[in-house]
């Protein structure tokens, strides 16, 4: 199975602009043969906690219909980032759209201290099927706790799909942690990070893929938008430049 992690800059609070850019990325991922594509944390709005309440959308919103249509047309699964309104508050969510199937949403279960004033935590783990794989999503901070990945593996996950908005320091820490996760649990890890301004930091890129032995297969740099294409059939990955409208 081929999966893509998209390294992308998001425009602060501009859902339509970001959505259009996502659609271009998905087209390119499909041209590469991808069956699933994952974007960085809160990719549709940018990682902007202070704006989250204003830009949050329910999973059923018609504004997500273009994503559903492209999933159906290209027969591809797409995992994006979006603030999700719930009865318990706004959650940092990963809507998962699949061809011809109901939409799923995974919500970040462990929040960073800085996020507690703006978001509420999810409480439901998720493993979903894409192609022939059982996939467990993880969102940024929680993915740095080994127990999160271990729980996913216990639930049958065969790949750890990580969506983040990380600084340079966060990426350095991730580059130490994710290979250990892959090697210890025996599952590949695919991670998508943002680039460009986000909240009070700059996204540091470094999106990457590791095989089930913890070997780094491919990584992007810290500045440019691009794609990591992971092929699980032969445990290989490459970095590919992106061509999308400017942010």
């Amino acid at each position: 199975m081929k999966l893509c992690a998209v390294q992308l800059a998001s425009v602060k609070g501009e859902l339509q602009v970001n959505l259009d850019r996502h659609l271009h990325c998905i087209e390119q991922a499909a041209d590469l043969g991808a069956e699933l594509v994952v974007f960085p944390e809160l990719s549709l709005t940018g990682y902007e906690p202070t704006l989250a309440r204003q830009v949050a959308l329910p999973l059923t919103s018609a504004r997500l219909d273009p994503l559903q249509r492209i999933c159906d047309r290209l027969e591809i699964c797409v995992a994006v980032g979006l603030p999700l309104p719930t009865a318990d508050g706004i959650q940092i969510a990963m809507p998962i759209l699949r061809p011809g199937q109901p939409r799923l949403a995974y919500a970040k279960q462990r929040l960073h201290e800085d996020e507690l004033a703006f978001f509420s935590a999810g409480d439901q783990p998720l493993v979903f099927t894409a192609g022939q794989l059982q996939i467990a999503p993880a969102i940024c901070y929680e993915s740095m706790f080994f127990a999160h990945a271990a729980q996913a593996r216990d639930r049958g996950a065969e790949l750890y799909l990580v969506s983040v908005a990380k600084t340079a320091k966060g990426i350095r820490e991730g580059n130490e942690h994710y290979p250990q996760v892959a090697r210890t649990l025996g599952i590949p890890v695919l991670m998508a990070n943002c680039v460009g301004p986000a909240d009070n930091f700059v996204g540091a890129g470094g999106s990457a893929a590791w095989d089930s032995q913890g070997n780094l297969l491919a990584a992007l740099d810290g500045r440019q938008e691009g794609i990591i294409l992971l092929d699980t059939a032969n445990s290989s990955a490459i970095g590919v430049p992106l061509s999308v409208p400017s942010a």
Side-chain angles (χ1 to χ4, degrees):
M1 181 178 181
K2 292 182 178 179
L3 307 92
C4 279
V6 176
Q7 181 163 295
L8 193 67
S10 296
V11 181
K12 181 177 180 177
E14 295 292 340
L15 187 139
Q16 189 58 53
V17 173
N18 293 324
L19 176 60
D20 290 343
R21 301 185 82 238
H22 279 56
L23 297 175
H24 280 276
C25 295
I26 295 165
E27 292 275 6
Q28 290 174 62
D31 287 345
L32 294 169
E35 297 175 62
L36 180 145
V37 56
V38 61
F39 289 86
E41 182 178 18
L42 296 179
S43 59
L44 282 174
T45 60
Y47 182 87
E48 303 291 344
T50 59
L51 293 182
R53 187 167 296 277
Q54 302 171 44
V55 296
L57 287 177
L59 188 61
T60 55
S61 172
R63 299 195 69 181
L64 299 180
D65 287 354
L67 284 172
Q68 186 64 61
R69 286 194 292 270
I70 200 170
C71 289
D72 293 343
R73 176 169 61 85
L74 299 177
E75 297 187 346
I76 192 170
C77 297
V78 175
V80 299
L82 182 71
L84 188 71
T86 74
D88 297 322
I90 306 300
Q91 295 181 336
I92 297 176
M94 181 194 288
I96 299 163
L97 296 94
R98 303 168 295 166
Q101 298 182 68
R103 298 171 188 174
L104 300 173
Y106 171 73
K108 189 174 185 177
Q109 297 179 82
R110 190 188 290 256
L111 301 177
H112 192 272
E113 182 179 352
D114 294 345
E115 296 170 333
L116 296 175
F118 306 101
F119 300 105
S120 61
D123 60 3
Q124 296 297 318
L126 177 66
V127 174
F128 69 96
T129 303
Q132 301 300 313
L133 286 181
Q134 296 293 305
I135 296 174
I139 303 176
C140 208
Y141 183 62
E142 67 185 5
S143 70
M144 299 301 294
F145 292 84
F146 185 84
H148 185 273
Q151 181 190 52
R153 183 66 183 88
D154 290 345
R155 292 172 62 88
E158 298 169 295
L159 183 137
Y160 199 46
L161 190 70
V162 185
S163 171
V164 307
K166 285 188 179 293
T167 63
K169 177 178 180 291
I171 284 297
R172 287 194 298 271
E173 294 169 349
N175 285 338
E176 295 179 1
H177 176 71
Y178 297 131
Q180 296 176 15
V181 168
R183 183 166 51 251
T184 303
L185 298 179
I187 58 175
V189 177
L190 179 63
M191 181 268 290
N193 191 26
C194 61
V195 290
D199 190 31
N200 59 358
F201 65 93
V202 175
S207 301
W210 294 267
D211 68 15
S212 58
Q213 285 76 50
N215 299 308
L216 177 65
L217 299 177
L220 298 177
D221 68 18
R223 299 174 304 279
Q224 302 299 316
E225 295 177 313
I227 284 175
I228 292 289
L229 178 67
L230 169 65
D231 188 341
T232 61
N234 56 21
S235 295
S236 65
I238 57 172
V240 181
L242 264 176
S243 175
V244 293
S246 59

